[in-house]
């Protein structure tokens, strides 16, 4: 089994990594970190090495993926759930106003509503 961790280089992403690695260790699972950068950006090798190192420090086997998801991150996560036989998705949440969520939408909200497996949220 696998734990999928949604990661952005932000405090919320770091919270998701900590929570996801703790869950993976608790469940004796490996972790797949989805490094979901803004369109056109990608994680640096140093950043990816740091993520893998954090997983090893938690006694968790880690794989880092950088899928090209355009604007359908929830759909991409559901595809990866199936591909990796994942049992849990872990994401970080940031505080947003109701108006901000209404106008801009919320990827986190869509993930929570559309996920095919349980979702664990972490706050920074």
């Amino acid at each position: 089994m696998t734990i999928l961790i949604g990661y952005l280089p932000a405090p919320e992403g770091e919270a998701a990594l900590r929570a996801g690695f703790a869950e993976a260790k608790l469940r004796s699972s490996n972790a797949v970190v989805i490094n979901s950068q803004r369109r056109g950006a990608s994680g640096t090798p140093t950043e990816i090495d740091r993520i893998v190192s954090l997983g090893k420090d938690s006694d968790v086997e880690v794989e880092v993926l950088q899928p090209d998801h355009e604007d359908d991150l929830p759909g991409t996560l559901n595809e990866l759930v199936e591909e990796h036989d994942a049992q849990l998705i872990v994401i970080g949440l940031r505080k947003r106003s109701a108006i901000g969520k209404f106008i801009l939408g919320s990827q986190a909200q869509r993930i929570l509503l559309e996920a095919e497996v349980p979702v664990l949220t972490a706050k920074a």
Side-chain angles (χ1 to χ4, degrees), residues 2 22 29-30 34-35 39 41 46 53 56 58 65-66 72 76-78 82 90 93-94 108 110 114 116 120:
T2 300
S29 298
N30 64 321
I34 310 306
N35 185 6
R39 188 178 308 171
T46 304
S53 179
K56 286 182 181 179
S58 299
L65 301 177
Q66 296 180 300
D72 189 24
T76 300
L77 284 177
N78 281 329
E82 193 170 314
V90 181
L93 292 180
R94 65 180 173 186
R110 284 194 54 217
E114 297 175 17
E116 296 176 2
L120 174 68

Side-chain angles (χ1 to χ4, degrees), residues 12-42:
E12 298 81 15
E14 296 300 321
L17 284 178
R18 286 190 303 276
F21 292 154
E23 280 295 317
K25 184 174 182 175
L26 179 70
R27 298 170 187 242
S28 299
S29 298
N30 64 321
V32 174
V33 177
I34 310 306
N35 185 6
S36 175
Q37 304 272 344
R38 302 271 185 249
R39 188 178 308 171
S42 63

